[in-house]
Amino acid sequence: MKAVCCVCEADVTVPEDCCEGELVICPDCGTELEVVSLEPLTLEEAPQVQEDWGE
Ligand SMILES: [Zn+2]
């Protein structure tokens, strides 16, 4: 499946069996994108929360 990066509008390939909430990386701009909808396939920029998982 293909979706459009919401940041740079490049084509992003999404696995056929992906589900909502899955993360994909845009090959063009490197942004982490979250699958927010499957019908239609929609990507949004994933929140940067890595630092929140620490102690
Ligand atoms: Zn992009």
Side-chain angles (χ1 to χ4, degrees), residues 7-52:
V7 177
C8 69
E9 300 188 342
D11 285 338
V12 181
T13 301
V14 178
E16 296 290 336
D17 62 347
C18 82
C19 52
E20 286 181 31
E22 196 146 318
L23 298 177
V24 294
I25 305 290
C26 173
D28 217 60
C29 67
T31 300
E32 195 167 47
L33 302 166
E34 180 177 352
V35 179
V36 293
S37 174
L38 294 175
E39 291 288 340
L41 186 56
T42 306
L43 300 177
E44 272 187 15
E45 195 172 355
Q48 303 289 312
V49 294
Q50 291 147 331
E51 298 299 319
D52 290 346

